[in-house]
Amino acid sequence: MPVSNKDTSDDTDAQSALTVITDHYVCSGDFNGILASSLAEQLGLSRSSLLQILEQLLLVSERIVIAFDCYQGNPYILRIPQPDTQRQIALMESEALHTFCVYPSAKILANRKDLGSFADKPFTRRLALGEAQLIPVFFELSVLEAYYRDPRYHFHYGDMDGRIVITDKAFRSAQVDDRDKILLDTFGIGYDECRNRVVIAYLRYLSILSPEHQQIWNAHVVRCPCVMNSDYERATLYGVWPEHHSAYQAFLAEMVEINKLSVVINKPSLFRDDFSAGRPLGLHPMLRPTGRNLQEFVHLLDKMLSENVDRDFFKNDIPLEEEHQRGDGKIQVVPRGTLALLKDWISTRYRDADGADVSDEIVESFKRIRKLRQKPAHEIQQDNFDIALPGQQDKLLLDVLQALQKLRWVLMSHPVVRGKYKPPDWLDGDKIVMY
């Protein structure tokens, strides 16, 4: 059957359109689509003629993809995977030409001749091949540790999400290679099949890393099925506030609230530093399951708790010193430990509704932290790798959080507090989680 002139013309017009679409994507420098109105203008086509060609490219040969402002926001980047072909056609017919952009499909981009230039940039290559910019890639949590321990980087890890950026000093330094002057604008937390934490980062941000750092991250890719944390997914893809609060965030908030209550009952702040000016480096879920990392976390907790208690809080309420008889029979006056002071103060001033002394319940977890810290201080220990260690760290933090919550309730029961203080609602709610 002979091919009609109309069929030949349609194929030629479709090929011309595809060439313009592909050239624009390849030459844009940031994997951008071409606005449909600009495409019509370049090809000298009416709206109806353009839509006919786009429908042919979509439906018959799946050679293009269309990003719509009404579906994904900014259509100039392929932000998320687009809806199915029929839905794209329906949107194309209902939306104005200046509200959607056209992209070559992965099938077309697979034939690019310049893919060799992306050989050392695996994540940039995936964008060059047409993947959406906010496709999540999952990594072993340990990929973060090198940045956390490198003082050249500002490393923020807020339990659900984080950010890595070269410091100003390192950025200006000629001694720091340009390959290491990197920015990862956002990363999040996900989980593998066994609910172990993994890192999630989007292709968009990974593609900006230097080739050397892309290779580092690529070596830590997790191959098994993983899922994003739902709060991070909602926040980054849909602009929705997180539903939950981190247990680490609650831990810091409890210290702030306890200090507020200290002032209300006319006492000095219980904690010398409530860390409201900034979270201490290292106060986050474990990055690599090693004994060294657990000990560092224990050391940090002890400094934030028992070493951070202000002895002046107890002044005029209980003795701050005690007498000890030395071996030679002489009496020595020594300061009491902060945990002993806290236990004594609670015990002498508070009973629960059943008349029970709750001082042990509150102080026990602090004592456990101190004991764990002191043990390796007198021993030479080899480091060990154990996938159970992150769970142990989580439990330590949750136990301390529960103790601080009980301590806040004790202070809230003070007679002068009534009507003068109200805690944040979320602190006593059911939305505190261990991400």
Side-chain angles (χ1 to χ4, degrees), residues 248-264:
Y248 285 83
Q249 179 187 358
F251 167 75
L252 292 170
E254 290 288 5
M255 298 186 77
V256 171
E257 298 305 311
I258 286 169
N259 273 2
K260 288 180 182 178
L261 282 162
S262 302
V263 174
V264 172

Side-chain angles (χ1 to χ4, degrees), residues 27 55 63-64 68 94 126 140 153 171 184 218 244 273 290 307 318 320 394:
C27 299
E55 183 171 344
R63 288 182 283 178
I64 62 169
F68 299 89
S94 65
R126 289 177 61 174
E140 297 164 350
Y153 296 100
F171 183 79
L184 186 66
N218 196 44
H244 302 91
D273 187 350
T290 66
E307 286 191 12
I318 56 175
L320 303 185
D394 291 348

Side-chain angles (χ1 to χ4, degrees), residues 251 255 270-275 280-281 283 295-310 338-339 366 369-370 373:
F251 167 75
M255 298 186 77
L270 179 65
F271 296 111
R272 291 194 298 270
D273 187 350
D274 61 15
F275 304 98
L281 187 65
L283 189 70
Q295 286 303 325
E296 288 181 352
F297 182 76
V298 166
H299 188 91
L300 174 62
L301 274 189
D302 192 51
K303 288 197 293 185
M304 295 179 69
L305 294 168
S306 61
E307 286 191 12
N308 192 28
V309 171
D310 190 343
T338 55
L339 297 186
F366 302 159
I369 295 293
R370 165 125 298 199
R373 177 184 174 181

